[in-house]
Amino acid sequence: MKTINPIRMGGVEVLPLVEGGKGVAVSSGATSGAWANAGGVGTFSGVNADSYDENGNVIRQTYQGRTRRERHEELVAYGIRGGIAQAREAYERNGGVGRIHMNVLWEMGGAERIARGVLEGAKGLINGITCGAGMPYRLADIARDFGVHMYPIVSSARAFSALWKRSYSKAQEWLGGVVYEDPWLAGGHNGLSNSEDPNKPEAPYARVLKLRQQMREFGLGDVPIIMAGGVWWLEEWEDWIDNPELGPIAFQFGTRPLLTKESPIPEAWKQRLLTIKPGDVMLQPFSPTGFYSSAVRNDFLQELVERSEREVAYASHAVGEHTAEYGVGPRKRPVWLVPGDLDRVRGWESQGFTEALRTPEDTLIFVTPEKAKEIVKDQVDCMGCLSQCRFSNWSTHTPDFTNGKKADPRSFCIQKSLQEIAHEGNVENNLMFAGHAAYRFGQDPFYSNGFVPTVKQLFERILTGR
Ligand SMILES: Cc1cc2nc3c(=O)[nH]c(=O)nc-3n(C[C@H](O)[C@H](O)[C@H](O)COP(=O)(O)O)c2cc1C
Ligand code: SF4
C-alpha cells in the first residue's frame, strides 16, 4: 500500500482524508473535531444541527408557530444556533490543529441565511463550507464574504463547469477543492442528472478524470478533487493515489464514520449497520427534495415502494378508457378509472388500503386510514425545512410559499424522519441514509466481535490502506 501523503487544500497541508457532512445531526462537532484532530478534514453538518441545554443535553426541536411560515423562522433560528454549537465543539475537540468544514444543503430551507448566520456566529472556527444538492451559485459570495474556502459537491464535470462559469470563477482564490460525489455509490442525496440512469452505474475513474480535465481547462489543475462514494479500503484506490493524470486527490468517507465511539447516532443505528447485506442499500426517488437518494431498504422504504405501486391514473370525467366511476374521499367525489384499475383498487381495499389520496399527477395512491392520517398530519405540521418540498408543497421561492402543486403523498417528511432516526433510533420506520458499500461493515474484520473504533482508530486504520 502506498504511503498517504499530505496534500495542499484550502491553503494548508492536510492528510487527504475527509469526513463527509451528514445531516440531520449525524456528523457533529464531536466527530468532525476528532477527525480533524487526527490530521484530516472533519465536516460537521449545518443542516438542522443540534444545540444543547446547560447540562449538555440535546434540545429537541419543537415548534410553536401557527403557520408553516412562522415555523420556518423557528427552524432557521434552530439551525443557526445548532451550527454554532457544533462549530464550537468541533474547534474545541480539534484543538485548532486540523481543518473543520461545515456542510449545508443548498436545497434546505433558509440555506443562505443559516450558512451566513453560523459563519457569523462562529468566526474563525470554520475553515471551509461544503455544499451540494442543487446548483449553489451563491456559495462563492458566502465564501468571499467570510473568507472561508468553498468546496462545491458535484456529480459531473458538466455541473462543475456551469458553477464555475457563472459564479465561482469570480472567487477563484476561495475554491479549496471540488467534491466529486458518485451518484450511484454515495450515501444521502445523489446528484443524478436527467441523462443518467439510476440503474446503469458508471465507474467513477473516467468521470473524475473528465472533471479534472475540465478543471485544468479552467486553470485548476492543482485544486484537489475529493472523491466521495463507496470508498472503504484505500488499498482498492491505490491507482488513484499520486496519479499525475488525476492530480491531487483526497477521499471522503460518509458511511464508515457512522460507526465510531464519537458518532452521535443511537446505538440501534450503529448495531443495524453491522447487519446490512449487499443489495440492501437502495437508490430511490422518494425524497421530497426531488433528488434521488441512497438509503437502507427497511420497513420505511418498503412502505414507500409499496405505496407507489398502489397507484392508478384517473380522469375527472369519463374519457377514453377511463370509464369506471370511483368515489374519492368521505364525499365520494367521482373520478373515472380504467376498468382494470378499478379491479386492482377493489383488491387493495379488501387488504385495508381503503384511503385514496390524490397526487399532483392526476393519479391516486391507496393507503390504510392510519397512514392517510399520518401523511396529512405530517403535511400540516410542515416547518419549511426545504427550499421546496413536493410532499407538503411548501416553497420559499414564491410569495405565497407554495409550489403551486398538490402536495404529493408518494413522498414523506424528511425532516421528521431524519430527526427521529437521529434522536430516537427507530431504524426500521425512518429513512436510514447509507452508502452502497455499507454492507462492508459486516465483512470487514476491523469490526469483528462488534468492535466500534474511536475516530482516531478508524482514521489510523484507513491510513494503513484498510
Ligand atoms: C447518513 C448520511 C447522511 C448524509 N447527509 C449528507 C448531507 O446532509 N449533506 C451532504 O452533502 N452529504 C450527505 N451525505 C453524504 C456524505 O457526506 C458522503 O459524501 C457520502 O456518504 C460518501 O459516500 P459513502 O457513504 O459511500 O462513504 C450523507 C451520507 C450519509 C451516509
Ligand atoms: S413537509 Fe417537507 S418542507 Fe415541510 S418539514 Fe417536512 S420535509 Fe421539510
Side-chain angles (χ1 to χ4, degrees):
M1 173 63 198
K2 284 180 188 157
T3 311
I4 307 291
N5 296 310
I7 61 170
R8 258 196 107 63
M9 188 149 82
V12 298
E13 299 244 305
V14 280
L15 286 169
L17 304 180
V18 180
E19 180 194 10
K22 296 176 288 283
V24 168
V26 173
S27 68
S28 60
T31 64
S32 58
W35 192 278
N37 190 257
V41 177
T43 313
F44 73 85
S45 169
V47 182
N48 271 103
D50 278 339
S51 47
Y52 308 95
D53 65 18
E54 60 278 11
N55 301 317
N57 298 315
V58 171
I59 298 172
R60 286 307 308 271
Q61 301 183 3
T62 54
Y63 293 83
Q64 316 307 325
R66 278 181 301 123
T67 64
R68 52 186 187 177
R69 177 83 184 81
E70 288 168 1
R71 293 191 292 274
H72 171 74
E73 288 303 315
E74 293 174 59
L75 177 127
V76 170
Y78 274 128
I80 294 174
R81 206 180 319 146
I84 294 170
Q86 299 306 328
R88 286 197 183 129
E89 180 165 9
Y91 190 78
E92 277 162 26
R93 295 222 184 203
N94 143 44
V97 179
R99 303 297 276 178
I100 299 292
H101 293 171
M102 167 168 72
N103 174 255
V104 293
L105 234 70
W106 202 247
E107 296 295 335
M108 77 188 190
E112 184 163 354
R113 285 169 66 199
I114 294 175
R116 286 181 180 273
V118 176
L119 287 165
E120 187 63 47
K123 274 212 175 109
L125 310 184
I126 299 171
N127 307 111
I129 173 162
T130 71
C131 188
M135 293 297 271
Y137 293 109
R138 292 181 55 75
L139 186 59
D141 293 340
I142 301 175
R144 196 189 304 105
D145 290 352
F146 287 93
V148 296
H149 284 89
M150 58 181 171
Y151 297 83
I153 304 170
V154 299
S155 296
S156 65
R158 209 173 67 174
F160 178 71
S161 172
L163 289 166
W164 178 258
K165 286 185 183 152
R166 180 152 148 199
S167 135
Y168 296 1
S169 52
K170 294 170 207 133
Q172 176 162 359
E173 68 276 29
W174 294 113
L175 183 69
V178 178
V179 184
Y180 169 78
E181 203 176 60
D182 189 285
W184 294 276
L185 293 171
H189 284 111
N190 301 111
L192 278 167
S193 70
N194 291 339
S195 61
E196 285 153 349
D197 185 339
N199 299 313
K200 291 211 183 92
E202 292 172 23
Y205 188 92
R207 293 173 66 89
V208 170
L209 182 57
K210 208 162 161 195
L211 173 61
R212 174 58 78 201
Q213 286 160 346
Q214 180 68 81
M215 287 172 68
R216 283 197 182 112
E217 277 178 34
F218 298 144
L220 304 171
D222 295 332
V223 173
I225 293 177
I226 300 159
M227 167 65 211
V231 187
W232 201 270
W233 288 347
L234 281 186
E235 63 180 31
E236 295 158 348
W237 298 78
E238 263 203 295
D239 54 337
W240 288 56
I241 299 165
D242 300 330
N243 176 338
E245 190 175 50
L246 287 182
I249 287 279
F251 296 94
Q252 174 159 307
F253 296 80
T255 298
R256 241 186 128 172
L258 291 172
L259 189 58
T260 63
K261 292 231 161 62
E262 290 89 339
S263 168
I265 63 173
E267 190 53 31
W269 188 349
K270 291 187 185 175
Q271 289 307 318
R272 181 70 180 86
L273 289 171
L274 294 163
T275 66
I276 294 171
K277 300 276 174 300
D280 282 357
V281 173
M282 185 186 174
L283 183 58
Q284 39 72 33
F286 301 113
S287 167
T289 57
F291 293 110
Y292 275 87
S293 69
S294 294
V296 174
R297 191 172 183 137
N298 56 7
D299 289 351
F300 178 82
L301 222 47
Q302 190 58 30
E303 194 275 327
L304 282 165
V305 170
E306 289 169 12
R307 206 191 285 177
S308 278
E309 285 168 357
R310 290 188 300 270
E311 181 175 18
V312 293
Y314 69 84
S316 51
H317 57 277
V319 59
E321 295 183 322
H322 291 81
T323 54
E325 189 174 335
Y326 179 74
V328 178
R331 294 205 199 122
K332 300 283 167 224
R333 291 238 165 100
V335 296
W336 280 264
L337 311 180
V338 173
D341 280 348
L342 184 59
D343 294 340
R344 291 164 67 212
V345 167
R346 296 296 178 220
W348 297 328
E349 286 177 336
S350 69
Q351 293 164 40
F353 303 107
T354 52
E355 303 303 303
L357 302 177
R358 291 173 198 258
T359 78
E361 277 147 23
D362 292 345
T363 64
L364 300 171
I365 61 155
F366 288 81
V367 295
T368 62
E370 300 77 54
K371 185 52 79 179
K373 254 189 225 137
E374 184 191 329
I375 289 171
V376 172
K377 181 174 185 326
D378 290 351
Q379 287 168 336
V380 169
D381 288 348
C382 171
M383 61 289 281
C385 79
L386 299 174
S387 64
Q388 45 189 337
C389 172
R390 72 175 170 119
F391 175 64
S392 70
N393 90 1
W394 159 265
S395 169
T396 51
H397 301 313
T398 57
D400 67 349
F401 295 97
T402 86
N403 65 8
K405 295 184 188 151
K406 261 193 200 88
D408 192 339
R410 293 168 298 189
S411 186
F412 62 95
C413 177
I414 199 165
Q415 175 67 206
K416 174 187 159 196
S417 199
L418 292 182
Q419 287 283 355
E420 273 181 16
I421 192 166
H423 297 105
E424 270 103 58
N426 183 338
V427 291
E428 275 311 318
N429 296 309
N430 285 301
L431 182 70
M432 184 184 172
F433 276 150
H436 292 256
Y439 68 90
R440 297 190 63 171
F441 280 119
Q443 298 183 352
D444 188 331
F446 188 50
Y447 304 96
S448 54
N449 303 319
F451 174 68
V452 176
T454 62
V455 169
K456 194 166 191 304
Q457 285 168 328
L458 173 61
F459 196 92
E460 282 168 0
R461 171 79 170 182
I462 289 171
L463 280 177
T464 69
R466 287 278 172 128

